[in-house]
Structures are given as structure tokens and as C-alpha cells.
Amino acid sequence: MKIIMLGAPGAGKGTQAKKIAEKYGIPHISTGDIFRANIKGGTELGMKAKAYMDQGQLVPDDVTIGMLLDRISEADCTGGYVLDGFPRTIPQAESLTEALNQRGEKMDYAINVDVPDEAIVTRMSGRRACLSCGATYHVVYNAPKSEGICDACGEALVLRDDDKPETVQKRLTVYHDQTQPLINYYQNEGILVTVDGTKELNEVFKDITAVLGA
Ligand code: AP5
Ligand code: MG
């Protein structure tokens, strides 16, 4: 099963993608996590991405598209995957569609996690992230078992550099300009599913699995 997660920054794409990946036994591929791992590792790709990410801007398509297409060519992707944070622009979506067509494959679902802007800024200030394994928590809505420590890998949790309110606002503007048009794109492809992302996170997951099947 091949799935795309769509939604504003902070809508819960990462939270739901992790749960989908676990339930269906497919890899969770987050372009944001790949960039953050590269920043942490001090790679050239990381340096390049950081300059854009800290401003709330998108990393250019010429960097992002090749990186993602390489990732989905790896051996663990043969049974499908859940993409979180890609595509984010129409050229990214078109490149993905074309690459899949060339392999005689297609995407199965694009799940749009719908949350209004007003709810986003509050969520982001309470988010804590694990830069080692990509797990995401919230100090109120999804707290780790022990404060400040990742349940999955035991690393220290951090507030992401781009979760400052002014940067979140910028990311929302970029989302509406460049990423929201993908909702129509995947509606036209006939694979769009929209879920109400304002519900409690296990309720959101139930709505998603009702579509994906057991
Ligand atoms: P990325 O890491 O993808 O960030 P984003 O899209 O801004 O999304 P977030 O990770 O902030 O939010 P999310 O939807 O995953 O929400 P989460 O589950 O954490 O990208 C970062 C940057 O990298 C971009 O700005 C860009 O610069 C660059 N980049 C990445 N991909 C790119 C691409 N393809 N092209 C170009 N540039 C790219 O949830 C948020 C919080 O809410 C958490 O605390 C969570 O616990 C909580 N929460 C989740 N669900 C609920 C719920 N139902 N109720 C209450 N709280 C909830
Ligand atoms: Mg995320």
C-alpha cells in the first residue's frame, strides 16, 4: 500500500504516519525527518536544507525530488510506504506520478488531515520531537512516558527550531500557497481522502483505518 499524507504543518501527518507504518508494516518516509537527520549529522545536504527550513521556506525541488525518489527505490519500499511531507509542490507531485508510472505503479491513497490554522499554532508550541527516530509528542495531547525522553529510543526530546510562532506562521503561508493545491491534484487523481484532524489522535487514526481497511 502506497500512501501520501497531506495537511498543514502541525496537522498531525507525522503522528498518523507513524501509526499507519506500524499497523501495516510499511516504512514511514518523512522528508522533514531526512533533512533533520542530515542537519544533525552535519552533512552538506543538511547545511543546505537548514537555511530554508529555519526560515519556514521549502527546500528547493531540485534537492528534494531526487532524494525522495532514491529513498522509495530502496529494498524496504517494495511492499509500499507512507510518505509524510512529500509531495509539497505540484512539480514534486508530477515527478512522483511520473516515476511511479515508469515503474507501472501508482499511489493508492492521499490522506488529507484537515486542521484549521487557528488550532495549529497552539499545537506546535507544545510539540516535542525526537531528532534520532523522528517520533513526535505533545506535552498535553500526547505526552511521553517520562518527561523529555523519547519512549521509542530513549533520546532527549527537543522543541524544533522551526516551531517558533513566527516561523510556524510563515510555514502556514507557504503551505497555503504551494502545498494546498495538491488537494485538488489528488482529488482529480481520484485517491483523495479527507479526515477531520481536530479529533483526538486515536479517533483520527480510526477514521483513517476505516478507509485503509484492517
Ligand atoms: P516537516 O517536518 O514535514 O514539517 P511540516 O509539514 O511543517 O509538518 P510538521 O512535522 O510540523 O507537522 P505534522 O503534520 O507532522 O504534525 P505532528 O504529527 O508533528 O517539514 C519541515 C521543513 O522541512 C519544511 O518547512 C521544509 O522547509 C522542509 N521540507 C520537508 N519536506 C519538504 C518537501 N517535500 N519539499 C520542500 N521542503 C521540504 O503533530 C503536531 C503536534 O500536534 C504534535 O505535538 C502532536 O503530538 C500533536 N497532535 C497530533 N495530532 C493531534 C491531535 N489529533 N490532537 C491533538 N494534538 C495532536
Ligand atoms: Mg511531521
Side-chain angles (χ1 to χ4, degrees), residues 43-75:
T43 69
E44 198 179 321
L45 173 69
M47 301 296 178
K48 197 163 181 184
K50 186 172 170 39
Y52 295 96
M53 290 170 75
D54 284 354
Q55 301 297 317
Q57 300 283 2
L58 296 184
V59 180
D61 284 345
D62 61 346
V63 176
T64 310
I65 292 172
M67 177 183 89
L68 187 280
L69 296 183
D70 284 349
R71 177 64 188 90
I72 62 171
S73 306
E74 287 177 29

Side-chain angles (χ1 to χ4, degrees), residues 24-153:
Y24 298 96
I26 50 178
H28 166 209
I29 302 176
S30 156
T31 39
D33 285 352
I34 299 173
F35 289 135
R36 281 184 289 277
N38 275 276
I39 292 171
K40 198 175 175 212
T43 69
E44 198 179 321
L45 173 69
M47 301 296 178
K48 197 163 181 184
K50 186 172 170 39
Y52 295 96
M53 290 170 75
D54 284 354
Q55 301 297 317
Q57 300 283 2
L58 296 184
V59 180
D61 284 345
D62 61 346
V63 176
T64 310
I65 292 172
M67 177 183 89
L68 187 280
L69 296 183
D70 284 349
R71 177 64 188 90
I72 62 171
S73 306
E74 287 177 29
D76 63 336
C77 290
T78 48
Y81 39 80
V82 51
L83 300 184
D84 161 18
F86 188 100
R88 251 186 160 88
T89 63
I90 293 286
Q92 289 183 12
E94 287 171 343
S95 303
L96 178 61
T97 304
E98 196 188 305
L100 291 177
N101 280 345
Q102 276 173 11
R103 302 177 196 182
E105 297 176 4
K106 64 174 198 47
M107 206 40 80
D108 297 302
Y109 298 98
I111 301 173
N112 175 32
V113 184
D114 189 30
V115 176
D117 287 9
E118 306 81 75
I120 298 284
V121 181
T122 331
R123 274 195 191 182
M124 301 301 238
S125 57
R127 171 163 61 183
R128 296 296 177 270
C130 175
L131 298 184
S132 270
C133 74
T136 298
Y137 302 86
H138 190 281
V139 290
V140 178
Y141 307 124
N142 185 22
K145 292 194 181 75
S146 84
E147 198 187 319
I149 304 292
C150 179
D151 292 348
C153 73

Side-chain angles (χ1 to χ4, degrees), residues 90 181-192:
I90 293 286
L182 295 180
I183 294 175
N184 270 337
Y185 180 93
Y186 285 109
Q187 182 134 45
N188 292 337
E189 299 261 304
I191 60 165
L192 183 77

